[in-house]
Short mmCIF file of all heavy atoms in Angstrom, two decimals:
data_model
loop_
_atom_site.label_atom_id
_atom_site.label_comp_id
_atom_site.label_asym_id
_atom_site.label_seq_id
_atom_site.Cartn_x
_atom_site.Cartn_y
_atom_site.Cartn_z
N MET A 1 -9.49 7.94 -30.30
CA MET A 1 -8.71 8.83 -29.46
C MET A 1 -7.65 8.05 -28.68
O MET A 1 -6.52 8.45 -28.62
CB MET A 1 -9.65 9.58 -28.52
CG MET A 1 -8.94 10.62 -27.72
SD MET A 1 -8.68 12.08 -28.72
CE MET A 1 -8.97 13.34 -27.56
N ILE A 2 -8.05 6.91 -28.09
CA ILE A 2 -7.09 6.09 -27.34
C ILE A 2 -6.03 5.53 -28.28
O ILE A 2 -4.86 5.46 -27.93
CB ILE A 2 -7.82 4.97 -26.56
CG1 ILE A 2 -8.65 5.59 -25.44
CG2 ILE A 2 -6.84 3.96 -26.02
CD1 ILE A 2 -9.47 4.62 -24.66
N THR A 3 -6.43 5.15 -29.50
CA THR A 3 -5.47 4.63 -30.47
C THR A 3 -4.42 5.68 -30.79
O THR A 3 -3.23 5.38 -30.88
CB THR A 3 -6.19 4.18 -31.76
OG1 THR A 3 -7.14 3.19 -31.41
CG2 THR A 3 -5.22 3.62 -32.75
N ASP A 4 -4.84 6.94 -30.95
CA ASP A 4 -3.90 8.03 -31.21
C ASP A 4 -2.94 8.20 -30.04
O ASP A 4 -1.75 8.42 -30.24
CB ASP A 4 -4.64 9.35 -31.45
CG ASP A 4 -5.42 9.35 -32.76
OD1 ASP A 4 -5.11 8.53 -33.64
OD2 ASP A 4 -6.34 10.18 -32.88
N MET A 5 -3.45 8.08 -28.83
CA MET A 5 -2.61 8.21 -27.64
C MET A 5 -1.62 7.06 -27.56
O MET A 5 -0.46 7.26 -27.23
CB MET A 5 -3.50 8.23 -26.39
CG MET A 5 -2.74 8.63 -25.16
SD MET A 5 -2.42 10.39 -25.22
CE MET A 5 -3.21 10.84 -23.73
N ASN A 6 -2.08 5.84 -27.87
CA ASN A 6 -1.19 4.69 -27.86
C ASN A 6 -0.09 4.85 -28.90
O ASN A 6 1.07 4.51 -28.65
CB ASN A 6 -1.97 3.40 -28.13
CG ASN A 6 -2.84 2.98 -26.96
OD1 ASN A 6 -2.65 3.44 -25.84
ND2 ASN A 6 -3.83 2.15 -27.24
N GLU A 7 -0.44 5.34 -30.07
CA GLU A 7 0.54 5.57 -31.13
C GLU A 7 1.56 6.63 -30.70
O GLU A 7 2.76 6.47 -30.92
CB GLU A 7 -0.17 6.01 -32.43
CG GLU A 7 0.76 6.27 -33.58
CD GLU A 7 1.51 5.05 -34.09
OE1 GLU A 7 1.11 3.92 -33.78
OE2 GLU A 7 2.50 5.24 -34.80
N GLN A 8 1.09 7.68 -30.08
CA GLN A 8 2.00 8.73 -29.60
C GLN A 8 2.93 8.17 -28.53
O GLN A 8 4.14 8.44 -28.56
CB GLN A 8 1.21 9.91 -29.04
CG GLN A 8 2.09 11.04 -28.55
CD GLN A 8 1.30 12.22 -28.02
OE1 GLN A 8 0.08 12.28 -28.16
NE2 GLN A 8 1.99 13.16 -27.42
N ASN A 9 2.40 7.39 -27.61
CA ASN A 9 3.23 6.79 -26.56
C ASN A 9 4.28 5.85 -27.16
O ASN A 9 5.42 5.82 -26.72
CB ASN A 9 2.37 6.03 -25.56
CG ASN A 9 1.56 6.96 -24.68
OD1 ASN A 9 1.84 8.15 -24.57
ND2 ASN A 9 0.51 6.42 -24.07
N ARG A 10 3.87 5.08 -28.17
CA ARG A 10 4.81 4.16 -28.83
C ARG A 10 5.93 4.94 -29.52
O ARG A 10 7.10 4.60 -29.38
CB ARG A 10 4.07 3.31 -29.87
CG ARG A 10 4.95 2.26 -30.55
CD ARG A 10 4.25 1.60 -31.72
NE ARG A 10 3.93 2.52 -32.79
CZ ARG A 10 4.81 2.97 -33.70
NH1 ARG A 10 6.07 2.60 -33.64
NH2 ARG A 10 4.43 3.80 -34.64
N ARG A 11 5.58 6.01 -30.20
CA ARG A 11 6.60 6.82 -30.88
C ARG A 11 7.55 7.47 -29.89
O ARG A 11 8.75 7.54 -30.12
CB ARG A 11 5.93 7.88 -31.75
CG ARG A 11 5.30 7.32 -32.98
CD ARG A 11 4.71 8.40 -33.84
NE ARG A 11 4.05 7.83 -34.99
CZ ARG A 11 3.57 8.54 -35.98
NH1 ARG A 11 3.66 9.85 -35.95
NH2 ARG A 11 2.98 7.94 -37.00
N GLU A 12 7.00 7.97 -28.79
CA GLU A 12 7.85 8.58 -27.76
C GLU A 12 8.79 7.55 -27.17
O GLU A 12 9.96 7.85 -26.92
CB GLU A 12 6.99 9.23 -26.68
CG GLU A 12 6.30 10.50 -27.15
CD GLU A 12 5.35 11.07 -26.12
OE1 GLU A 12 5.25 10.53 -24.99
OE2 GLU A 12 4.69 12.07 -26.45
N ALA A 13 8.31 6.34 -26.94
CA ALA A 13 9.16 5.28 -26.39
C ALA A 13 10.25 4.91 -27.38
O ALA A 13 11.41 4.71 -27.00
CB ALA A 13 8.31 4.06 -26.04
N GLU A 14 9.92 4.83 -28.66
CA GLU A 14 10.91 4.53 -29.68
C GLU A 14 11.96 5.64 -29.78
O GLU A 14 13.15 5.36 -29.92
CB GLU A 14 10.24 4.31 -31.04
CG GLU A 14 9.50 3.01 -31.14
CD GLU A 14 8.80 2.83 -32.49
OE1 GLU A 14 8.83 3.75 -33.33
OE2 GLU A 14 8.22 1.75 -32.69
N ALA A 15 11.52 6.89 -29.70
CA ALA A 15 12.45 8.02 -29.75
C ALA A 15 13.39 7.99 -28.55
O ALA A 15 14.59 8.24 -28.69
CB ALA A 15 11.69 9.34 -29.80
N ARG A 16 12.86 7.69 -27.39
CA ARG A 16 13.69 7.62 -26.19
C ARG A 16 14.72 6.49 -26.32
O ARG A 16 15.88 6.66 -25.98
CB ARG A 16 12.84 7.43 -24.95
CG ARG A 16 13.63 7.49 -23.67
CD ARG A 16 12.70 7.46 -22.47
NE ARG A 16 13.45 7.76 -21.29
CZ ARG A 16 13.64 8.97 -20.80
NH1 ARG A 16 13.12 10.00 -21.39
NH2 ARG A 16 14.35 9.15 -19.71
N GLU A 17 14.31 5.34 -26.82
CA GLU A 17 15.22 4.22 -27.02
C GLU A 17 16.32 4.60 -28.02
O GLU A 17 17.49 4.30 -27.80
CB GLU A 17 14.45 2.99 -27.51
CG GLU A 17 15.33 1.82 -27.89
CD GLU A 17 16.14 1.26 -26.74
OE1 GLU A 17 15.72 1.38 -25.57
OE2 GLU A 17 17.23 0.71 -27.01
N LEU A 18 15.94 5.26 -29.09
CA LEU A 18 16.92 5.72 -30.07
C LEU A 18 17.89 6.71 -29.42
O LEU A 18 19.11 6.64 -29.65
CB LEU A 18 16.24 6.36 -31.27
CG LEU A 18 17.15 6.90 -32.36
CD1 LEU A 18 18.04 5.80 -32.93
CD2 LEU A 18 16.32 7.54 -33.46
N GLY A 19 17.37 7.60 -28.59
CA GLY A 19 18.23 8.54 -27.88
C GLY A 19 19.23 7.83 -26.99
O GLY A 19 20.40 8.22 -26.91
N GLU A 20 18.78 6.77 -26.30
CA GLU A 20 19.67 5.99 -25.44
C GLU A 20 20.77 5.33 -26.28
O GLU A 20 21.93 5.27 -25.88
CB GLU A 20 18.90 4.93 -24.67
CG GLU A 20 17.91 5.48 -23.66
CD GLU A 20 18.57 6.09 -22.43
OE1 GLU A 20 19.77 5.86 -22.20
OE2 GLU A 20 17.87 6.81 -21.70
N GLN A 21 20.41 4.84 -27.46
CA GLN A 21 21.38 4.21 -28.34
C GLN A 21 22.41 5.23 -28.85
O GLN A 21 23.60 4.94 -28.92
CB GLN A 21 20.68 3.53 -29.52
CG GLN A 21 19.87 2.33 -29.12
CD GLN A 21 19.05 1.77 -30.27
OE1 GLN A 21 19.25 2.13 -31.42
NE2 GLN A 21 18.13 0.89 -29.95
N VAL A 22 21.94 6.42 -29.18
CA VAL A 22 22.85 7.48 -29.64
C VAL A 22 23.79 7.89 -28.51
O VAL A 22 25.00 8.06 -28.73
CB VAL A 22 22.05 8.69 -30.16
CG1 VAL A 22 22.96 9.89 -30.40
CG2 VAL A 22 21.31 8.33 -31.44
N ALA A 23 23.28 8.01 -27.30
CA ALA A 23 24.11 8.36 -26.15
C ALA A 23 25.18 7.29 -25.92
O ALA A 23 26.35 7.62 -25.64
CB ALA A 23 23.26 8.53 -24.90
N ALA A 24 24.81 6.03 -26.07
CA ALA A 24 25.80 4.94 -25.91
C ALA A 24 26.86 5.02 -27.00
O ALA A 24 28.06 4.82 -26.73
CB ALA A 24 25.09 3.59 -25.95
N LEU A 25 26.47 5.34 -28.21
CA LEU A 25 27.42 5.48 -29.30
C LEU A 25 28.37 6.65 -29.04
O LEU A 25 29.58 6.54 -29.26
CB LEU A 25 26.68 5.67 -30.63
CG LEU A 25 27.54 5.84 -31.87
CD1 LEU A 25 28.46 4.63 -32.06
CD2 LEU A 25 26.67 6.06 -33.08
N LEU A 26 27.85 7.76 -28.56
CA LEU A 26 28.70 8.91 -28.26
C LEU A 26 29.70 8.58 -27.15
O LEU A 26 30.85 9.02 -27.19
CB LEU A 26 27.83 10.12 -27.86
CG LEU A 26 26.98 10.71 -28.99
CD1 LEU A 26 26.02 11.74 -28.44
CD2 LEU A 26 27.85 11.29 -30.08
N THR A 27 29.29 7.78 -26.19
CA THR A 27 30.20 7.35 -25.13
C THR A 27 31.33 6.50 -25.72
O THR A 27 32.49 6.64 -25.35
CB THR A 27 29.43 6.55 -24.06
OG1 THR A 27 28.45 7.42 -23.48
CG2 THR A 27 30.35 6.05 -22.97
N GLN A 28 30.99 5.63 -26.68
CA GLN A 28 32.01 4.82 -27.34
C GLN A 28 32.98 5.70 -28.13
O GLN A 28 34.19 5.44 -28.15
CB GLN A 28 31.36 3.79 -28.26
CG GLN A 28 30.63 2.71 -27.51
CD GLN A 28 29.88 1.76 -28.45
OE1 GLN A 28 29.85 1.95 -29.65
NE2 GLN A 28 29.30 0.73 -27.87
N ILE A 29 32.46 6.73 -28.77
CA ILE A 29 33.32 7.65 -29.53
C ILE A 29 34.28 8.35 -28.57
O ILE A 29 35.48 8.47 -28.86
CB ILE A 29 32.47 8.68 -30.30
CG1 ILE A 29 31.73 7.97 -31.44
CG2 ILE A 29 33.33 9.82 -30.83
CD1 ILE A 29 30.66 8.82 -32.11
N GLU A 30 33.79 8.78 -27.43
CA GLU A 30 34.66 9.42 -26.43
C GLU A 30 35.75 8.46 -25.96
O GLU A 30 36.87 8.87 -25.71
CB GLU A 30 33.84 9.90 -25.23
CG GLU A 30 32.97 11.08 -25.53
CD GLU A 30 32.15 11.53 -24.34
OE1 GLU A 30 31.84 10.68 -23.47
OE2 GLU A 30 31.83 12.71 -24.28
N ALA A 31 35.41 7.19 -25.85
CA ALA A 31 36.37 6.19 -25.38
C ALA A 31 37.53 5.99 -26.36
O ALA A 31 38.56 5.45 -25.99
CB ALA A 31 35.67 4.86 -25.11
N LEU A 32 37.38 6.43 -27.57
CA LEU A 32 38.44 6.32 -28.57
C LEU A 32 39.47 7.44 -28.43
O LEU A 32 40.27 7.67 -29.32
CB LEU A 32 37.85 6.38 -29.99
CG LEU A 32 36.93 5.23 -30.38
CD1 LEU A 32 36.29 5.52 -31.73
CD2 LEU A 32 37.71 3.93 -30.43
N ASN A 33 39.45 8.10 -27.27
CA ASN A 33 40.33 9.22 -26.98
C ASN A 33 40.13 10.37 -27.95
O ASN A 33 41.06 11.10 -28.27
CB ASN A 33 41.80 8.79 -26.98
CG ASN A 33 42.10 7.87 -25.82
OD1 ASN A 33 41.55 8.03 -24.74
ND2 ASN A 33 42.95 6.89 -26.05
N ALA A 34 38.90 10.51 -28.42
CA ALA A 34 38.56 11.61 -29.31
C ALA A 34 38.21 12.86 -28.51
O ALA A 34 37.92 13.89 -29.08
CB ALA A 34 37.39 11.22 -30.20
N GLY A 35 38.27 12.76 -27.18
CA GLY A 35 37.90 13.87 -26.33
C GLY A 35 36.40 13.85 -26.08
O GLY A 35 35.66 13.11 -26.71
N PRO A 36 35.97 14.66 -25.14
CA PRO A 36 34.55 14.66 -24.79
C PRO A 36 33.68 15.25 -25.90
O PRO A 36 34.07 16.19 -26.58
CB PRO A 36 34.49 15.51 -23.52
CG PRO A 36 35.68 16.39 -23.60
CD PRO A 36 36.73 15.60 -24.33
N VAL A 37 32.54 14.65 -26.07
CA VAL A 37 31.53 15.21 -26.95
C VAL A 37 30.67 16.10 -26.06
O VAL A 37 30.20 15.65 -25.02
CB VAL A 37 30.67 14.09 -27.59
CG1 VAL A 37 29.59 14.67 -28.47
CG2 VAL A 37 31.56 13.14 -28.38
N VAL A 38 30.50 17.35 -26.41
CA VAL A 38 29.77 18.28 -25.55
C VAL A 38 28.56 18.83 -26.29
O VAL A 38 28.50 18.82 -27.51
CB VAL A 38 30.67 19.44 -25.08
CG1 VAL A 38 31.80 18.93 -24.22
CG2 VAL A 38 31.22 20.21 -26.27
N GLY A 39 27.62 19.31 -25.49
CA GLY A 39 26.48 19.98 -26.07
C GLY A 39 25.21 19.18 -25.97
O GLY A 39 25.08 18.25 -25.20
N THR A 40 24.27 19.55 -26.83
CA THR A 40 22.95 18.94 -26.86
C THR A 40 22.66 18.50 -28.28
O THR A 40 22.93 19.21 -29.23
CB THR A 40 21.87 19.95 -26.41
OG1 THR A 40 22.17 20.38 -25.09
CG2 THR A 40 20.49 19.34 -26.45
N LEU A 41 22.11 17.31 -28.40
CA LEU A 41 21.70 16.78 -29.69
C LEU A 41 20.20 16.51 -29.60
O LEU A 41 19.74 15.90 -28.64
CB LEU A 41 22.45 15.47 -29.98
CG LEU A 41 22.05 14.68 -31.21
CD1 LEU A 41 22.41 15.46 -32.47
CD2 LEU A 41 22.76 13.34 -31.22
N THR A 42 19.45 17.01 -30.56
CA THR A 42 18.01 16.79 -30.55
C THR A 42 17.62 16.01 -31.79
O THR A 42 18.03 16.34 -32.89
CB THR A 42 17.25 18.14 -30.53
OG1 THR A 42 17.65 18.87 -29.38
CG2 THR A 42 15.76 17.91 -30.49
N ILE A 43 16.89 14.93 -31.55
CA ILE A 43 16.30 14.16 -32.64
C ILE A 43 14.79 14.23 -32.42
O ILE A 43 14.35 14.52 -31.31
CB ILE A 43 16.80 12.69 -32.66
CG1 ILE A 43 16.49 11.98 -31.34
CG2 ILE A 43 18.28 12.63 -32.95
CD1 ILE A 43 16.82 10.51 -31.33
N PRO A 44 13.99 13.99 -33.44
CA PRO A 44 12.54 14.07 -33.23
C PRO A 44 12.10 13.17 -32.06
O PRO A 44 12.31 11.97 -32.10
CB PRO A 44 11.96 13.58 -34.56
CG PRO A 44 13.02 13.91 -35.56
CD PRO A 44 14.33 13.68 -34.83
N GLY A 45 11.61 13.78 -31.03
CA GLY A 45 11.09 13.03 -29.89
C GLY A 45 12.06 12.82 -28.74
O GLY A 45 11.68 12.30 -27.71
N ALA A 46 13.32 13.21 -28.90
CA ALA A 46 14.29 13.01 -27.81
C ALA A 46 15.37 14.09 -27.84
O ALA A 46 15.77 14.54 -28.91
CB ALA A 46 14.93 11.64 -27.92
N ARG A 47 15.80 14.47 -26.67
CA ARG A 47 16.92 15.41 -26.53
C ARG A 47 18.00 14.71 -25.71
O ARG A 47 17.73 14.15 -24.67
CB ARG A 47 16.49 16.68 -25.83
CG ARG A 47 17.68 17.59 -25.50
CD ARG A 47 17.26 18.85 -24.85
NE ARG A 47 16.84 19.73 -25.93
CZ ARG A 47 16.12 20.81 -25.75
NH1 ARG A 47 15.70 21.13 -24.56
NH2 ARG A 47 15.81 21.57 -26.77
N ILE A 48 19.23 14.76 -26.22
CA ILE A 48 20.36 14.09 -25.57
C ILE A 48 21.32 15.18 -25.12
O ILE A 48 21.81 15.96 -25.94
CB ILE A 48 21.05 13.14 -26.57
CG1 ILE A 48 20.03 12.16 -27.16
CG2 ILE A 48 22.20 12.40 -25.90
CD1 ILE A 48 20.42 11.62 -28.49
N ARG A 49 21.57 15.25 -23.83
CA ARG A 49 22.45 16.28 -23.28
C ARG A 49 23.61 15.64 -22.52
O ARG A 49 23.44 14.64 -21.85
CB ARG A 49 21.69 17.21 -22.34
CG ARG A 49 20.68 18.05 -23.07
CD ARG A 49 20.05 19.07 -22.19
NE ARG A 49 19.23 18.41 -21.17
CZ ARG A 49 18.62 19.03 -20.18
NH1 ARG A 49 18.74 20.33 -20.05
NH2 ARG A 49 17.91 18.36 -19.32
N ARG A 50 24.77 16.26 -22.63
CA ARG A 50 25.98 15.76 -21.96
C ARG A 50 26.18 16.50 -20.66
O ARG A 50 26.13 17.72 -20.61
CB ARG A 50 27.19 15.98 -22.89
CG ARG A 50 28.50 15.54 -22.30
CD ARG A 50 28.51 14.01 -22.24
NE ARG A 50 29.83 13.48 -22.08
CZ ARG A 50 30.26 12.94 -20.95
NH1 ARG A 50 29.51 12.88 -19.89
NH2 ARG A 50 31.47 12.43 -20.90
N PHE A 51 26.39 15.75 -19.59
CA PHE A 51 26.73 16.29 -18.30
C PHE A 51 28.02 15.63 -17.84
O PHE A 51 28.46 14.63 -18.41
CB PHE A 51 25.61 16.00 -17.27
CG PHE A 51 24.33 16.75 -17.56
CD1 PHE A 51 23.31 16.15 -18.28
CD2 PHE A 51 24.17 18.05 -17.14
CE1 PHE A 51 22.13 16.84 -18.56
CE2 PHE A 51 23.02 18.75 -17.40
CZ PHE A 51 22.00 18.14 -18.11
N ASP A 52 28.65 16.16 -16.81
CA ASP A 52 29.88 15.59 -16.31
C ASP A 52 29.75 14.10 -15.98
O ASP A 52 30.65 13.33 -16.21
CB ASP A 52 30.37 16.33 -15.06
CG ASP A 52 30.85 17.74 -15.39
OD1 ASP A 52 31.20 18.00 -16.56
OD2 ASP A 52 30.88 18.57 -14.46
N GLU A 53 28.60 13.73 -15.44
CA GLU A 53 28.40 12.34 -15.02
C GLU A 53 27.89 11.44 -16.13
O GLU A 53 27.72 10.25 -15.93
CB GLU A 53 27.46 12.27 -13.81
CG GLU A 53 26.10 12.86 -14.03
CD GLU A 53 26.02 14.38 -13.86
OE1 GLU A 53 27.00 15.00 -13.45
OE2 GLU A 53 24.95 14.94 -14.15
N GLY A 54 27.62 11.97 -17.30
CA GLY A 54 27.18 11.13 -18.42
C GLY A 54 26.13 11.82 -19.25
O GLY A 54 26.03 13.03 -19.28
N TRP A 55 25.33 11.00 -19.91
CA TRP A 55 24.32 11.49 -20.84
C TRP A 55 22.93 11.45 -20.22
O TRP A 55 22.62 10.55 -19.45
CB TRP A 55 24.33 10.63 -22.10
CG TRP A 55 25.62 10.72 -22.83
CD1 TRP A 55 26.68 9.86 -22.73
CD2 TRP A 55 26.01 11.73 -23.75
NE1 TRP A 55 27.69 10.28 -23.53
CE2 TRP A 55 27.32 11.42 -24.17
CE3 TRP A 55 25.40 12.86 -24.25
CZ2 TRP A 55 28.00 12.22 -25.08
CZ3 TRP A 55 26.07 13.65 -25.16
CH2 TRP A 55 27.37 13.32 -25.57
N GLU A 56 22.12 12.43 -20.58
CA GLU A 56 20.71 12.45 -20.16
C GLU A 56 19.86 12.45 -21.42
O GLU A 56 20.08 13.27 -22.31
CB GLU A 56 20.42 13.69 -19.33
CG GLU A 56 18.94 13.81 -18.97
CD GLU A 56 18.62 15.11 -18.30
OE1 GLU A 56 18.77 16.17 -18.96
OE2 GLU A 56 18.23 15.08 -17.14
N VAL A 57 18.91 11.55 -21.49
CA VAL A 57 18.00 11.48 -22.61
C VAL A 57 16.61 11.81 -22.10
O VAL A 57 16.12 11.17 -21.17
CB VAL A 57 18.01 10.08 -23.28
CG1 VAL A 57 17.02 10.02 -24.43
CG2 VAL A 57 19.42 9.72 -23.75
N THR A 58 15.99 12.81 -22.70
CA THR A 58 14.63 13.19 -22.31
C THR A 58 13.75 13.19 -23.55
O THR A 58 14.23 13.32 -24.66
CB THR A 58 14.60 14.59 -21.65
OG1 THR A 58 15.18 15.55 -22.54
CG2 THR A 58 15.37 14.59 -20.34
N GLY A 59 12.46 13.03 -23.32
CA GLY A 59 11.49 12.99 -24.42
C GLY A 59 10.98 14.37 -24.76
O GLY A 59 11.26 15.35 -24.19
#
C-alpha cells in the first residue's frame, strides 16, 4: 500500500515538473512576440492555466 502511494506521489511530482517546463516553454513562445497564449492546458497529472501575472501549474 505504501509503495503504491510512493509511486503515485512520484508520478504527481513528475507531472508537476513537466507542467512547469511546459509553462516555461509557453512563456518563451510569448516572448517571440507571438502574442499571449491563453487558456488552460491539461496533461495527465497537471493543469496549466494562464493568468495575467503568469502561469499556474496544479496537480
Side-chain angles (χ1 to χ4, degrees):
M1 186 79 141
I2 291 176
T3 301
D4 292 340
M5 191 74 122
N6 288 342
E7 180 66 16
Q8 181 179 351
N9 288 343
R10 184 189 63 78
R11 287 183 183 187
E12 288 175 4
E14 287 178 357
R16 186 173 190 90
E17 174 62 27
L18 179 59
E20 294 288 345
Q21 291 173 12
V22 170
L25 180 59
L26 292 171
T27 298
Q28 291 175 356
I29 291 169
E30 289 179 333
L32 295 173
N33 292 324
V37 178
V38 296
T40 301
L41 174 67
T42 302
I43 59 174
R47 172 178 279 164
I48 305 155
R49 293 187 293 175
R50 179 70 162 108
F51 292 95
D52 290 338
E53 59 277 354
W55 297 96
E56 176 187 64
V57 178
T58 56

